[in-house]
Every structure is written in C-alpha cells, then in structure tokens.
Amino acid sequence: MPSTDVSQTPSAPTPRITYREGFARDAADQAEVFYHAVMQGAASHYGVDERRAWANALPREASAWAARQTLYTTLVASCDGRCVGFLELDVAAKRIETIYVWPSLTGRGIGTTLLIHAERMLLEQGVSRVEIEASSVLYERLLRRGFTNLGEQWVERSGELLKRYRLVKKLNAVET
C-alpha cells in the first residue's frame, strides 16, 4: 500500500487574479489600495510621519483616482471584481507613475505582472525604455527586474522628506 504524508495539510487556495485596464468603478478601490500600501506596506521602510505625509499626498476619494485615470493608462489587478493592485502608466512620457498592491497580497507576483503588462504595452507603442521614481519599498525589486539606478532623490510631502530612486529600464521584445 502506498504511503501518504498526513502531515501535509491542504493550503488555502490562491485567489484568482486577473489583469485589465482600469475602469472608473475601480477608483474607490485604488484609493484604498494606495492608502493601505503606503500606511501598512511601507512601514518597514518609512516612519509613521513619512507615511502619513505620503498617504495624504493624494486624496482618499474615488473622484480623485477617477480623474487620474483620464491622465494615465491604468492597469488593474482584480480579484473577485475588486482592484487589489494597480499601475499608472504615462505612455507619452515613457514613465510608470505609480504601482501599488494591497499589502497582504505583496510578494505574489501581482506587481511584477502589472510591470510586464506595462512593458509590453510600451513596446507595442515603440517605446524602448521606461523610467520610474521608486520608493525604497520597490527599489530592490525593480533592480532585480532589470532597472538601473540613475540616482537617489528626496521629495517633500507635507513637510516630510521621502527618499526615492530614479530608475530606468531598457525594454526588449521577448517572445512568449
């Protein structure tokens, strides 16, 4: 009789994440993802006053995030119809403006997948490099994804100085 390992317990199912362009109905969720990503997700890299200043830089209101959708191409990671991560892309400026993921879902590849979609989108538009001003939270992860550091910067938010990095990545078409 074959032996079975009873010490293994079934793990919780991984939520199904889908990726798409953002809709106005995502704006309220975007506001919450942003707020919690900053206040909880950045806690190991920034102090509480720095995080409060950063979180208050953008209103926690759906209307503000819906307005941003008219300025930027917004890519959304969705789970059960709710936005759990997003990336704002300025194609004309060849820049990633923001990327945020709900704190309890970080480390599952959601941000990476959003980046892959953004890079593919830029390549389709004939863009060969992309820039981002990244927080200390994303810095190491982006370096591992092929970004190059162009220098440290300090940005002021509500009287607090926050460290970030100006990064660039040369984009290459890859067959998938």
Side-chain angles (χ1 to χ4, degrees):
M1 174 184 256
S3 66
T4 56
D5 183 2
V6 292
S7 65
Q8 291 182 339
T9 57
S11 59
T14 303
R16 179 166 161 69
I17 307 292
T18 57
Y19 299 86
R20 59 176 170 74
E21 286 203 38
F23 302 122
R25 70 173 187 250
D26 297 313
D29 288 342
Q30 281 180 257
E32 291 305 305
V33 169
F34 167 73
Y35 180 82
H36 290 281
V38 170
M39 292 306 294
Q40 295 168 4
S44 62
H45 292 84
Y46 296 92
V48 69
D49 290 337
E50 293 169 315
R51 287 181 282 129
R52 278 191 192 122
W54 181 1
N56 289 329
L58 293 169
R60 196 172 171 183
E61 298 169 4
S63 59
W65 291 91
R68 290 177 67 87
Q69 288 180 1
T70 65
L71 298 173
Y72 307 115
T73 299
T74 304
L75 304 178
V76 166
S78 178
C79 181
D80 296 329
R82 302 290 306 261
C83 168
V84 295
F86 66 94
L87 179 150
E88 293 175 319
L89 181 64
D90 186 335
V91 177
K94 304 171 187 171
R95 290 179 41 83
I96 295 168
E97 289 296 322
T98 63
I99 182 168
Y100 293 99
V101 174
W102 190 264
S104 65
L105 296 176
T106 60
R108 297 183 187 199
I110 294 169
T112 296
T113 303
L114 286 167
L115 281 169
I116 290 167
H117 286 298
E119 290 171 12
R120 198 172 287 151
M121 201 177 236
L122 288 166
L123 282 166
E124 289 170 0
Q125 296 294 318
V127 175
S128 61
R129 67 180 251 162
V130 64
E131 291 189 17
I132 186 171
E133 289 163 347
S135 69
S136 297
V137 177
L138 288 180
Y139 176 68
E140 292 292 331
R141 292 177 187 174
L142 292 174
L143 290 180
R144 286 193 300 270
R145 290 229 8 96
F147 281 80
T148 302
N149 184 5
L150 297 180
E152 187 178 286
Q153 297 178 329
W154 293 87
V155 62
E156 186 271 331
R157 299 285 186 259
S158 299
E160 293 290 328
L161 289 176
L162 306 174
K163 186 198 289 192
R164 67 181 184 192
Y165 301 87
R166 186 167 165 248
L167 305 174
V168 66
K169 181 178 183 181
K170 185 175 188 244
L171 302 175
N172 297 305
V174 177
E175 287 188 37
T176 55

